[in-house]
Amino acid sequence: MDRITSLENEIANLRRTLQEKENELYELRKEYTLQQTNTEAFNLNPQSNANNVFKTNMGDKLTKLDIVRYSRQILLPDIGVTGQEKLCAAKVLVVGAGGLGCPAAMYLAGAGVGQIGIVDYDKVDLTNIHRQILHTEADQNDSKAVSATKSLRSINSHIKVQPYNVQLDSTNALDIASRYDVVLDCTDNVPTRYLLNDACAITKLPLISGSALKMEGQLTVYGYRALKNSNEKDQSYIGPCYRCVFPTPPPPETVGSCSANGVAGPVPGAIGCLQALEAIKLIVGQTHEKLLVERMLLFDGEDMTFRTVKLRGRNANCAGCSEQPAVSQLIDYEAFCKSQATEKDLDLNILPSFRRISPPSLSRYLTEGEDLQHTRPLLVDVRSAAEFNMCRIEGTVNWPSDSLRGGRLVELLDEVRRCARKVVFICRRGNDSQIAAQAVIDAIEDPHKDKIADLKGGLHAWSKEVDNNFPIY
């Protein structure tokens, strides 16, 4: 154990040293680029370089390095020199350095967007790396915002990347967003979507919103304003905001997450890349007809199909973006949506404490019953079949909570009645198990109620307190 601790400390020190050296390299590269730009300006000035009979004409704001580096996209008529100059001057805020934010930020950095802000409160976890491609195994437990910033600087050391290692909320969203021209919503929860929408409505910024779950993805642009684009014929046009399309939040139980429902890594990768493309098109001056304004792109990875659906237009009485909005300042969005804005474990308290068994207590309970198999407690795992097949406590039976209705609930009640000892409900974090246990308590006769309990803290607590080999996911 001492050797492990020693190695961990040594690795931490090496990482700090590496970070310092990378920061030093980043600053040196910036200084070199500035010197190179000044040298180019000197060489292109006939008065300061009278012996040079040739003169090279370039864009007013692009350096030789810019032209070489971004030439492949400058060749596109839709971008050109003017568009590249706009990209180099643009400031884009990417909220979320996860499955969507990583590819989006990578391509924005590659395209030469002058300033990129990265907002993320979380730390890199091993479960992230299969889809969050700016992070590596060496970045585990580091700030996602800092890790992403480090990777982006290695991709393009000539742009400015600003990490914000904070939880975006009503106290800081306006201040951070107002420093940028475009905002990318690369988050995965409803409260932050409403927060970003309202912040962008107040600051009159376009919001490029993406989402991905399981094998599906979505993408659209909210809050577009033609007044900021000289290429628009109708300068009064304003696209719908998120509240125009979704005036009220969905029920929390209907909203999935990658941690609960899973996601195939390339799905957020595809949507994130397309978010970057929409940002580039918007920055260079594409009109709203060519952007995903009043339209939503739907991607289905199972059959590899893309389709675009029409969204409702701007609501003249919208609470967020109308001429006299009801929401003129940011509110408590977790309370408004009745759900969390983070993936931190919920700590529901549905069952009374006497019905909750700690992992060590359950372990002792199982050990005592080893010689009397017929008297062992009944362990009911209410996770999905996919989760149950992935890992489980030996001897548990799987009754997915989604199936506990009608006839399936009747079957479970019969099994509970037949059990001579405790019936312990188990889930991932100790929340769904309480819901399932309470449903059985409400439906079963009084003589059987006392035997029902749940595993406090779920399998995460079991892994931490009893069996370190049990995987946390």
Side-chain angles (χ1 to χ4, degrees):
M1 188 64 189
D2 290 342
R3 178 57 178 159
I4 292 175
T5 303
S6 175
L7 280 173
E8 287 176 342
N9 292 335
E10 185 178 346
I11 290 170
N13 289 332
L14 287 171
R15 283 180 177 169
R16 281 193 291 270
T17 302
L18 177 61
Q19 184 66 58
E20 291 170 0
K21 295 298 182 184
E22 287 178 338
N23 291 339
E24 182 180 353
L25 177 61
Y26 173 70
E27 294 300 327
L28 285 172
R29 280 177 171 166
K30 278 191 0 182
E31 184 179 344
Y32 172 76
T33 301
L34 181 61
Q35 290 174 352
Q36 188 180 42
T37 302
N38 291 337
T39 300
E40 290 172 5
F42 175 82
N43 289 335
L44 293 174
N45 187 335
Q47 294 180 344
S48 60
N49 194 8
N51 295 326
N52 189 352
V53 297
F54 300 104
K55 180 179 179 180
T56 301
N57 290 317
M58 295 186 292
D60 293 338
K61 300 174 184 176
L62 296 182
T63 66
K64 173 187 174 183
L65 179 64
D66 291 335
I67 291 175
V68 172
R69 179 165 196 151
Y70 308 120
S71 60
R72 297 301 186 270
Q73 65 191 35
I74 294 175
L75 289 170
L76 296 174
D78 288 337
I79 295 180
V81 170
T82 302
Q84 188 60 54
E85 290 175 347
K86 290 178 179 179
L87 287 169
C88 290
K91 295 179 286 185
V92 177
L93 181 66
V94 178
V95 183
L100 296 167
C102 284
M106 281 183 67
Y107 278 98
L108 291 174
V113 169
Q115 184 171 334
I116 301 174
I118 304 288
V119 181
D120 204 306
Y121 70 93
D122 206 0
K123 294 184 178 181
V124 178
D125 185 83
L126 189 61
T127 61
N128 304 144
I129 295 173
H130 90 285
R131 66 194 184 281
Q132 300 179 12
I133 54 178
L134 287 179
H135 314 305
T136 68
E137 292 179 356
D139 298 319
Q140 289 182 74
N141 298 316
D142 290 348
S143 157
K144 283 187 181 180
V146 173
S147 169
T149 296
K150 178 180 66 175
S151 296
L152 293 176
R153 286 173 176 171
S154 70
I155 291 170
N156 193 341
S157 61
H158 307 121
I159 63 173
K160 181 178 180 181
V161 187
Q162 177 64 53
Y164 297 93
N165 184 23
V166 297
Q167 168 65 44
L168 201 70
D169 58 28
S170 300
T171 67
N172 57 27
L174 284 176
D175 176 54
I176 295 175
S178 63
R179 305 174 194 179
Y180 294 85
D181 307 315
V182 182
V183 178
L184 269 60
D185 179 2
C186 300
T187 63
D188 61 356
N189 65 86
V190 177
T192 305
R193 294 196 187 281
Y194 278 97
L195 167 68
L196 285 174
N197 178 78
D198 292 353
C200 287
I202 292 171
T203 54
K204 295 180 171 51
L205 294 175
L207 177 63
I208 301 175
S209 178
S211 64
L213 190 65
K214 298 182 181 179
M215 294 286 282
E216 300 176 346
Q218 300 178 352
L219 175 63
T220 191
V221 178
Y222 294 117
Y224 176 85
R225 293 175 180 269
L227 186 61
K228 296 186 177 183
N229 186 354
S230 60
N231 294 325
E232 291 278 6
K233 295 179 181 178
D234 180 5
Q235 294 281 297
S236 66
Y237 175 80
I238 300 176
C241 76
Y242 184 66
R243 281 183 182 268
C244 292
V245 182
F246 304 103
T248 57
E253 64 272 13
T254 65
V255 180
S257 69
C258 292
S259 64
N261 302 99
V263 64
V267 174
I271 298 300
C273 290
L274 294 176
Q275 281 185 277
L277 179 59
E278 283 297 280
I280 291 169
K281 288 164 56 185
L282 191 153
I283 290 166
V284 302
Q286 294 278 5
T287 59
H288 71 275
E289 291 92 350
K290 292 187 177 182
L291 297 168
L292 285 170
V293 178
E294 287 193 46
R295 297 184 296 146
M296 179 175 284
L297 180 73
L298 304 177
F299 169 60
D300 188 337
E302 288 190 358
D303 57 11
M304 292 303 291
T305 56
F306 286 88
R307 63 191 181 98
T308 305
V309 298
K310 186 84 169 72
L311 297 180
R312 67 184 69 173
R314 186 188 181 211
N315 179 2
N317 298 313
C318 175
C321 71
S322 63
E323 296 303 321
Q324 295 181 324
V327 181
S328 57
Q329 59 185 12
L330 302 184
I331 60 175
D332 183 341
Y333 292 90
E334 289 189 333
F336 174 64
C337 299
K338 298 182 176 63
S339 60
Q340 286 188 307
T342 70
E343 282 199 351
K344 294 178 181 177
D345 291 358
L346 286 169
D347 189 18
L348 298 182
N349 290 292
I350 297 173
L351 299 179
S353 58
F354 72 85
R355 291 199 184 277
R356 311 209 67 193
I357 296 179
S358 69
S361 296
L362 179 59
S363 176
R364 290 192 296 270
Y365 204 62
L366 292 172
T367 304
E368 291 170 1
E370 279 184 354
D371 298 329
L372 301 170
Q373 291 295 324
H374 64 285
T375 62
R376 289 190 68 191
L378 173 64
L379 304 182
V380 181
D381 191 322
V382 300
R383 295 174 300 152
S384 68
E387 292 176 275
F388 183 77
N389 291 333
M390 188 164 58
C391 54
R392 58 190 177 276
I393 298 174
E394 186 178 1
T396 55
V397 293
N398 188 209
W399 290 80
S401 56
D402 290 345
S403 69
L404 295 182
R405 303 181 187 90
R408 289 290 289 166
L409 179 58
V410 171
E411 292 177 28
L412 177 57
L413 293 174
D414 288 340
E415 193 158 347
V416 171
R417 293 184 186 104
R418 288 193 295 269
C419 181
R421 298 187 71 185
K422 284 281 187 185
V423 178
V424 182
F425 286 81
I426 297 171
C427 71
R428 187 178 172 193
R429 292 180 169 130
N431 295 318
D432 291 341
S433 57
Q434 291 186 74
I435 296 171
Q438 188 62 58
V440 171
I441 291 170
D442 292 341
I444 206 164
E445 301 80 12
D446 288 344
H448 300 286
K449 294 184 188 293
D450 289 343
K451 67 176 75 168
I452 297 168
D454 94 304
L455 177 62
K456 187 175 183 179
L459 292 169
H460 279 202
W462 177 266
S463 175
K464 192 176 297 183
E465 300 174 31
V466 174
D467 182 5
N468 296 137
N469 290 322
F470 197 96
I472 291 179
Y473 62 94

